[in-house]
Amino acid sequence: MTTNGTSGLFRKLEDTARASFLELFFDVVLIFALRALAQQLLNNLTWSGAYQALVMLLTIGWVWSRTAAATAQLDPRRAPVQLLVIATMVGALVLSAAIPEAFGKTGLIFAVTFLVIQVGRSLFLVVLLRGHELQHAAGRAAIWHAATGVPWIIGAIAPSTVRTALWTLAIVLIYVARWFNYPLSGLRRLAGPQSHAGGEPLADRYRTMFVIALGELILTIGSSLTSRGFATDRTLAFVVTFAGAALIWRTYIFRAGEDIGPAVEASANPDRLGALVNYAHLIMIAGLVVASVGAELVIDDPFGDPRANATITILGGTALYLAGRILLQYLVFGRISRSRFIGLLALACLVPPMLLAPPLAVAAASGAVLTAIAIADNRRVRRQPAPISPPGPHRPSDT
């Protein structure tokens, strides 16, 4: 039920086709967050450092996705909505600034800021949406976020290993709670989707998120060349790493990246499919963050001595991206591209020999795998035009 006081807060259907300027303004924060995350990983290039970066990526991704879910439905021209987004933006900037030392001296700042953003947004929506059915979802979200504050705060003052475990528990709990529509004992489960605002607006937000992550990779490539000079070897490394970024863009947008919106609309459960598409993009963005670190390692010392952590980072970034892209394709079309799966296997097989190769050779090998996938895509599209029917699970497509 929607009261007269809240009906004007929601977007009209014709206004949801593309992201508003307010949403795009908020997305700028994501660039800073991903840059900080990449630097944190570069400074702690170990398995534990990679896992900690994953926890922070899930945290940043949660802030972005919950904000995107709210702004997808609320009218960005309304002052309360603008206030909500700007306040969230300030909090997200503080959260991002705390990333480099989140598992050190800024842990408490990181945890408290995250809780203030999430609990504050939920309570604001409870007041703003009074009388609307989404008010109940916002109230439950506030309770769940407040409950997860216990492991967040205790973890923030605990040693690094305990902090990692407690923050993992906290972020997993909130993702699971959202999946089940924030269940609470003694209250009936919320029925149906609580935040679905249409397939194409959702797809547009995910594509924007991916392009921003790709932009962070380009920023790293360009700034690395600027800071290290235009020597022949580094210029060659710049060309190879940029080519890899361009190939990632090409393989992302090819059909599945373009057809997210129709697939969500054709789904029997758009809210659930939208959440899964979000997770697929988080995997791909994790790959781009790792690829950003790999690009910096390549440009820094293209023909340097082989290092296991550099090799795994360069190949691992591409592999993570491909894993997320394979999942996205399955969600959109209900099948997996053979070329992408073979490419993922090829990257795994390249690890042993590339342990003996300099960073530039590893980057070139990774680029060769992406090139082969792009060529396979072009051959398939010549043999089989894009399907006329809207995409969806088990619809015909081999891309």
Side-chain angles (χ1 to χ4, degrees):
M1 176 181 177
T2 304
T3 67
N4 293 333
T6 61
S7 59
L9 290 170
F10 290 86
R11 288 188 181 190
K12 297 178 181 179
L13 183 60
E14 59 269 22
D15 295 333
T16 61
R18 287 291 181 266
S20 67
F21 286 115
L22 181 65
E23 291 170 299
L24 295 175
F25 183 45
F26 175 78
D27 289 344
V28 174
V29 179
L30 190 60
I31 300 175
F32 177 53
L34 294 177
R35 182 88 286 265
L37 195 59
Q39 286 300 311
Q40 186 274 341
L41 180 59
L42 180 64
N43 295 333
N44 189 15
L45 204 54
T46 62
W47 289 113
S48 63
Y51 184 79
Q52 290 172 352
L54 173 62
V55 172
M56 286 185 285
L57 175 62
L58 290 173
T59 306
I60 291 294
W62 185 255
V63 172
W64 183 90
S65 66
R66 292 300 87 208
T67 304
T71 56
Q73 297 187 82
L74 300 176
D75 188 346
R77 294 168 295 189
R78 296 295 300 270
V81 179
Q82 294 174 354
L83 176 62
L84 173 64
V85 174
I86 296 300
T88 304
M89 191 174 181
V90 172
L93 279 170
V94 175
L95 189 72
S96 302
I99 283 177
E101 293 291 334
F103 286 86
K105 60 185 180 181
T106 61
L108 192 58
I109 295 173
F110 185 87
V112 170
T113 303
F114 174 75
L115 291 171
V116 168
I117 292 172
Q118 298 304 128
V119 176
R121 184 202 301 111
S122 298
L123 292 178
F124 186 87
L125 291 174
V126 167
V127 175
L128 190 66
L129 301 177
R130 59 187 179 278
H132 192 279
E133 58 267 23
L134 290 180
Q135 182 188 35
H136 303 296
R140 292 180 181 223
I143 294 171
W144 267 98
H145 283 107
T148 61
V150 176
W152 277 114
I153 298 301
I154 295 176
I157 59 178
S160 179
T161 303
V162 178
R163 182 178 306 180
T164 303
L166 288 174
W167 283 6
T168 298
L169 173 64
I171 199 66
V172 168
L173 278 175
I174 204 62
Y175 270 86
V176 172
R178 171 64 185 87
W179 183 261
F180 291 104
N181 283 330
Y182 303 115
L184 289 174
S185 178
L187 296 178
R188 65 177 179 83
R189 182 177 175 182
L190 292 174
Q194 298 300 312
S195 60
H196 178 61
E200 193 52 44
L202 190 70
D204 190 56
R205 299 296 285 137
Y206 290 147
R207 285 191 290 262
T208 299
M209 180 171 66
F210 181 83
V211 169
I212 285 173
L214 196 57
E216 194 283 320
L217 172 57
I218 297 298
L219 178 64
T220 297
I221 293 171
S223 60
S224 295
L225 181 64
T226 300
S227 62
R228 291 165 178 80
F230 288 81
T232 302
D233 57 345
R234 289 188 168 88
T235 302
L236 180 59
F238 164 80
V239 172
V240 170
T241 52
F242 180 82
L247 286 164
I248 286 174
W249 165 80
R250 176 67 180 81
T251 54
Y252 168 79
I253 204 65
F254 191 78
R255 289 199 183 173
E258 294 178 330
D259 290 333
I260 298 169
V264 172
E265 288 299 336
S267 171
N269 191 337
D271 192 52
R272 185 62 53 89
L273 181 58
L276 291 172
V277 168
N278 179 43
Y279 301 153
H281 278 79
L282 279 176
I283 296 172
M284 288 187 285
I285 288 172
L288 290 178
V289 170
V290 176
S292 175
V293 175
E296 194 160 350
L297 293 173
V298 173
I299 297 175
D300 181 56
D301 195 6
F303 294 104
D305 294 333
R307 290 185 295 158
N309 59 356
T311 298
I312 293 172
T313 300
I314 296 166
L315 295 178
T318 305
L320 266 176
Y321 159 72
L322 278 181
R325 182 58 178 76
I326 288 170
L327 176 59
L328 177 65
Q329 182 197 358
Y330 181 78
L331 294 172
V332 172
F333 292 115
R335 60 179 300 171
I336 294 175
S337 168
R338 183 168 52 188
S339 64
R340 286 176 175 77
F341 185 72
I342 292 173
L344 196 58
L345 292 178
L347 289 169
C349 293
L350 280 170
V351 172
M354 288 295 109
L355 290 173
L356 304 176
L360 183 58
V362 181
S366 176
V369 171
L370 290 172
T371 300
I373 293 172
I375 292 172
D377 286 344
N378 289 333
R379 286 180 176 175
R380 277 196 302 274
V381 79
R382 286 198 298 267
R383 292 198 311 266
Q384 177 186 340
I388 297 175
S389 59
H394 310 296
R395 299 297 177 98
S397 174
D398 58 356
T399 58

